[in-house]
Amino acid sequence: MPLARRPASRIRVIAHVDLDCFYVQVEQRRQPQLRGKPTAVIQYNSWKGGACIAVGYEARKCGVKRSMRGDAAKAVCPDLNLVQVPVLHEKADLSIYRDAGSEVVAVLSRVGKCERASIDEVYLDVTEAAERLSSKDLSTLVSEEASTSHIVGLPQLGTKEWFCRPDASREDHLLACGAIIIADIRLAVLAETEFTCSAGVAHNKMLAKLSSGMHKPAQQTLVPSSAVESLLATLPISKIGKLGGKLGQELEGELGVKTVGDLLQFSELKLQDMYGPNTGTWLWNTARGINGDEVQDRTLPKSHSSGKTFPGPRALKTLETVVYWLKELAETLQLRLDEDLSQNNRTAHLLTIHASCHIFQEGRATEAPKFSSKSRPLRYGVDKIVEDSRYLFERSLHEFCSHQSAGKEQSEITSSWAVTGLSLTASNIMAKPMGVNPITQYFGTRPPVTGDAGNASEQQQQCPSISKEVRLEEDRAGPSVTTDGSIPESISPPPSRKPAKLTDLWQRKASLQPERKEETVAWEYKQEEIDHSVFAELPSEIQQELQGRLGVQRNKRGKPTTIADFFISKT
Ligand code: TTP
């Protein structure tokens, strides 16, 4: 449910930064011969050439789309380079992408409060830096990159003039300062990581997020307050994250609302009456572009996930195969949990299982309800995660199948289930309290689930056959919680400290940076053991030393004047 937060009392400058075709950029950095060539990244599995999960902009020009399978993509673009996501333990290993995202977060977090929203998206609150910049003469500070910013409601030609006009309102002036800061930090991201990103700059998170994708790749868009009404007037409600699902369908069905602007005709009271006080106020605010959500100071992930899809003939049809994969997923999840504990001193407290499941009757998939996601307190240890997730899976499966077989005699039921996606998520992550051993506190927090549900795994499952064991285990294992079923992003811990090297550009703006307290860390390393992926996570002084010793070449290429130039020069 969306939360109606009070709008901020002071003018804020918020950016949403989104990396362009992220996995493709990571692969092109690993294999520079792919730069400028049509490239797509495919998910691990060979069915019809694998699913495209990221498509480079050159490939998009040739008609390749994310929804395509590799074979279909090759058919529309024969020169397409398909790169498979790295594989570990028979499933996708996203660590290179997570680490690459962490490199970017380390750069972006220099300009203000930084919230890592997904593997390749970050919110930044740059209000303080913008306020500091606002007393300066902007005409000398607008870089070429900043002057290419798009301003909603204004022709791009006049961008620099718009930034520097003397009669600008305080709101617009701060927005211009924010745009200068964000353009510079995007250049720094490019110089230090080789990745281009796009950004939206506005007075709140909702508007910043809406605008970051308006001009891609490698560009930024500003939303002045004066443009909000016309921007929202024709914006389909599905473009607002929280209106994409059930609430959006209800608004359309019950009020005939198709665009955000359509909401303006309803009073706050009416909306509260229909959708409750909180959601009603949130809808009323959203229609006016008002959003009080704070940028959270969070560069670490909110959750860890491990998942796999089993499309078409690979669907899992027995409990035995499901448990096999739960073990694989649990191993990866436990590794991530261990890493988070040792690097960040954090522990997760909730385990959630998500699955996509279909019912087959006489060999054909039938309409079935959503397989509900379920959660329970997380116990550390692969065996315990397997045990608990199996229990949750069986409960959901029981509900799923009960719905299907309601009102039928046992002899009439000829359906079987097939799982096409499975994922485990560890969330409710908190700092380990001082003086408490977080792992031991999880051992034995409840009696282990000992029921022999394994009997049901021997043959292909027909729906009703599991119900008894599931009920048995439910009695022993206590309640579980149904969640909303959304699959959280899986992102890894970012570096514990920021790289020291700043671009020349950034040095010019050094006065804008908020002060950060440096920690003292004892760190031992062997030069030959330093892997590229951990470079950004090293203490800054060691990075500098290594840059000298290893002769890191990445940043030495000629500097493009705008990020879009760089993008074009790659193509
Ligand atoms: P997105 O930001 O949605 O897309 P993108 O970065 O590839 O392209 P764009 O320039 O249009 O923003 O997703 C970020 C990465 O997440 C993407 O590169 C691959 C991965 N991803 C998946 O693995 N599965 C998915 O279904 C989606 C949407 C993304």
Side-chain angles (χ1 to χ4, degrees), residues 242-485:
K242 287 162 187 158
L243 292 179
K246 204 168 149 225
L247 181 56
Q249 285 166 12
E250 282 174 13
L251 283 174
E252 190 161 357
E254 292 164 6
L255 296 177
V257 166
K258 287 192 166 49
T259 69
V260 179
D262 289 345
L263 276 170
L264 282 173
Q265 59 192 296
F266 303 103
S267 69
E268 186 173 1
L269 262 180
K270 165 88 177 165
L271 293 169
Q272 287 182 329
D273 200 36
M274 292 190 70
Y275 301 102
N278 179 60
T279 304
T281 298
W282 181 82
L283 287 169
W284 191 88
N285 284 342
T286 299
R288 288 153 186 81
I290 300 168
N291 179 275
D293 291 351
E294 292 272 337
V295 173
Q296 305 297 316
D297 201 350
R298 191 187 64 227
T299 54
L300 296 172
K302 263 201 304 196
S303 61
H304 301 296
S305 292
S306 173
K308 184 168 169 69
T309 53
F310 309 94
R314 290 168 190 270
L316 310 180
K317 295 177 179 151
T318 66
L319 189 58
E320 190 180 30
T321 53
V322 168
V323 172
Y324 170 84
W325 281 108
L326 286 177
K327 183 158 187 301
E328 293 290 316
L329 299 179
E331 276 173 6
T332 311
L333 192 64
Q334 185 61 55
L335 275 178
R336 304 267 309 279
L337 290 167
D338 291 345
E339 222 173 75
D340 203 0
L341 181 61
S342 65
Q343 290 177 3
N344 309 311
N345 205 33
R346 304 193 310 163
T347 51
H349 296 248
L350 192 71
L351 173 71
T352 303
I353 182 166
H354 308 275
S356 311
C357 194
H358 301 275
I359 294 279
F360 286 83
Q361 265 171 342
E362 282 133 25
R364 292 213 323 266
T366 62
E367 281 283 312
K370 199 163 171 249
F371 195 87
S372 67
S373 302
K374 290 201 183 294
S375 304
R376 70 175 314 143
L378 171 67
R379 297 186 300 154
Y380 275 56
V382 172
D383 290 347
K384 290 188 169 56
I385 294 175
V386 174
E387 187 179 299
D388 292 348
S389 57
R390 172 183 175 154
Y391 161 72
L392 294 173
F393 175 82
E394 290 189 71
R395 279 206 60 199
S396 263
L397 186 62
H398 170 59
E399 285 171 16
F400 184 75
C401 293
S402 304
H403 184 276
Q404 196 63 20
S405 55
K408 291 184 185 161
E409 292 295 322
Q410 180 81 19
S411 56
E412 289 180 89
I413 300 168
T414 54
S415 58
S416 56
W417 50 268
V419 169
T420 53
L422 201 55
S423 81
L424 296 180
T425 299
S427 59
N428 280 16
I429 302 180
M430 293 174 206
K432 181 178 98 174
M434 296 292 278
V436 176
N437 179 340
I439 294 188
T440 49
Q441 97 187 16
Y442 289 96
F443 290 136
T445 48
R446 69 167 177 78
V449 177
T450 53
D452 184 15
N455 287 348
S457 70
E458 303 306 326
Q459 298 94 29
Q460 177 161 333
Q461 299 297 292
Q462 290 221 326
C463 287
S465 63
I466 57 148
S467 56
K468 198 169 137 220
E469 286 110 354
V470 170
R471 263 199 298 275
L472 198 79
E473 295 213 340
E474 187 175 346
D475 293 340
R476 289 179 187 152
S480 62
V481 184
T482 303
T483 68
D484 66 3

Side-chain angles (χ1 to χ4, degrees), residues 533-551:
S533 63
V534 298
F535 185 79
E537 306 196 32
L538 297 176
S540 52
E541 60 278 15
I542 294 178
Q543 284 189 30
Q544 278 172 333
E545 193 181 331
L546 283 171
Q547 270 173 336
R549 280 207 235 158
L550 302 176

Side-chain angles (χ1 to χ4, degrees), residues 18-23 53-54 57 60 66 119-120 216:
D18 185 14
L19 284 142
D20 302 313
C21 56
F22 184 45
Y23 287 14
I53 53 171
Y57 282 82
R60 293 183 201 194
R66 179 144 59 195
I119 199 160
D120 77 333
K216 265 187 160 263

